[in-house]
Amino acid sequence: MPVSPALDIAKPVKPASDRSAARAVTERVHEPVFSQPLVPILTAVGVALLIVLAVTFARTAGLIAALWGAGGLATVVWLRTSRGPIYDMAYGGLIALGILVGQFLVGNPPMLSVMFTVANMVEIVLAVALARRFAPGLNLSTVEGCWRFLLSAAVVAPIPAALFAALCLYAMNGADIAASFQTWWFGHALGLAVIGTFGLALTRAHISVLHQPWKMIETVVLLGVLTGASWVVFWFSSVPMSFAIIPLLILIAVRLRVLGISVALLIVTLSSVGGAMLGYGAYAQTLSDIADRAMLAQVMVLLGCMPILLVAALLEERDLLADRARAGQVRAERASAAKSRLLANVAHEIKSPVGGVIGIGELWKSGQIGAVTDTQRDMADMLVKTARQVEALAHDLLDVARAESGAVKVDLRPTDVHGVLDDVARVTALRPEAAAVRIELECAVDGMVVLADSQRLTQVIGNLASNAVKYGAEGGVVILKAVRVTGGVRIEVIDRGPGLSAEKQTQLFEPFNRLGLERSAIEGHGIGLALAKRLVELQRGDIGVVSEPGQGATFWVELQAA
């Protein structure tokens, strides 16, 4: 009996997000293991060829070669191309096949070939794992990233493989365990360090520098000079002169940074170890045993030349930090300029309407726009007072904006300090909050002359005196003092108020910071001291404070004598 369409059970429709996720999983499952198969294949071929070359020309301790680049090549390509566990397994199998083929090509028997393949794979896998764990960024442009890679991948990773190979060779052929271990570790550590750092330094950022013609010419010249010097020192000189290479390496580190020094270390390694094993140079004339010659050359490169890579990393890291600092400075300057423009615009917009409010308040208070009661007169007086505070704030904001943008000009002329302090004392004494405060002046009448802008200096000292009266009124006295110091005059504004803690002193000259007194009855906006500091700096002076809690505060300004 046919089923009615109305009773047909439809399959649930998956949401669009689920379908997308399923499609992504399917694509990952069916995508090829090697998106660029030539890279791992060519790497495996290169590993096999390097094994043939190393075994043919660099065997020094029985069956172990003193110069081994196959592990370094396999490791660095693995680190640079890895895309997940499946890739890792496929790549590892391909490299193992390349190592095994290389062992057969040099004529090693099957058992020995398998043993060497296992030992090399242990070393390569361990180098990759340690580099990922302890140097995850693989960034040789920092000192930390550089030494982490060298320590984990080059120093530690070859140790288990060297021990395994040495024990196996002892069991198979009775080879000296210490000699086998030593030759393996030195040769493989050198290969991982030199080839590994070269491969990791070969980045677009480093190569892009060579697009500059003069930089390319400099690179070719320096590396060419190093090649010639290495050839002479390690192949033709009968006197040990490896120290002559160090200044060249330092110069290359300074001029060419990490990529240049990695190429230079490759050149020095091939020249020194190759010459020693082939019987050329001072090492061959001083030592008859090829293993000793090779080890001496390896130690020279590892301990004498490789640390210069850290110098290049330090310089490159400094360059990076300097670039970041410059970029941060540019952003800060732009933000400061935008803030100054905002402050100036706000101040201009405030001044005009506030002036109108003050005018209306004055007319209202004086009764010119109609009869007023005592309550209305008090309200009008409060209105005018508040408006004048806003007007003063607008003027301060405008001064701060002009000072930060460099629009404030100062006219530095010989200025009588006593006259400035006397004017400030008279004006300050007229302030309402100074009614219960005695203002004292301690300054020589004659001879106290500084190089300053009298108007701006009066503004600064007046601001300090006003603050002393407002915040230190409970001390009952404010002292305006001037004394001679080496090369100038020190002006002090002293109060006997509550004083300031060390923490608050560090925040004093920050704009809009009232040190927690925002809700107090004391009027202020927190920009007076910031403005004073900028004005003093424009007059080539210094400003500061000396204070302790409970012992008042002394604000000082030092200016050059005229």
Side-chain angles (χ1 to χ4, degrees), residues 213-368:
W214 287 109
K215 200 65 179 179
M216 174 63 78
I217 294 173
E218 182 184 26
T219 301
V220 171
V221 170
L222 287 176
L223 294 179
V225 171
L226 177 68
T227 303
S230 300
W231 189 266
V232 171
V233 169
F234 298 116
W235 287 71
F236 295 104
S237 176
S238 59
V239 179
M241 294 181 59
S242 56
F243 61 88
I245 299 297
I246 304 300
L248 270 175
L249 292 177
I250 295 176
L251 178 61
I252 291 172
V254 171
R255 297 300 304 166
L256 307 182
R257 298 297 194 263
V258 171
L259 180 57
I261 195 62
S262 62
V263 177
L265 290 172
L266 189 60
I267 294 171
V268 171
T269 301
L270 292 175
S271 301
S272 60
V273 181
M277 289 187 300
L278 295 177
Y280 295 98
Y283 295 144
Q285 297 187 17
T286 55
L287 298 172
S288 58
D289 187 9
I290 187 173
D292 293 338
R293 298 201 302 263
M295 187 188 70
L296 191 59
Q298 291 168 339
V299 170
M300 187 277 300
V301 175
L302 284 172
L303 301 183
C305 301
M306 193 60 65
I308 300 177
L309 179 66
L310 298 177
V311 175
L314 177 63
L315 294 174
E316 199 152 311
E317 185 174 10
R318 185 207 62 179
D319 294 342
L320 179 62
L321 294 176
D323 291 340
R324 289 179 180 175
R326 281 192 291 268
Q329 181 180 4
V330 170
R331 289 195 298 269
E333 290 175 350
R334 289 176 180 173
S336 179
K339 181 193 69 175
S340 298
R341 289 194 300 270
L342 176 63
L343 291 178
N345 292 335
V346 170
H348 279 295
E349 294 297 326
I350 289 176
K351 285 174 63 178
S352 297
V354 166
V357 171
I358 293 173
I360 294 173
E362 293 284 1
L363 293 174
W364 181 21
K365 182 174 66 173
S366 63
Q368 298 183 38

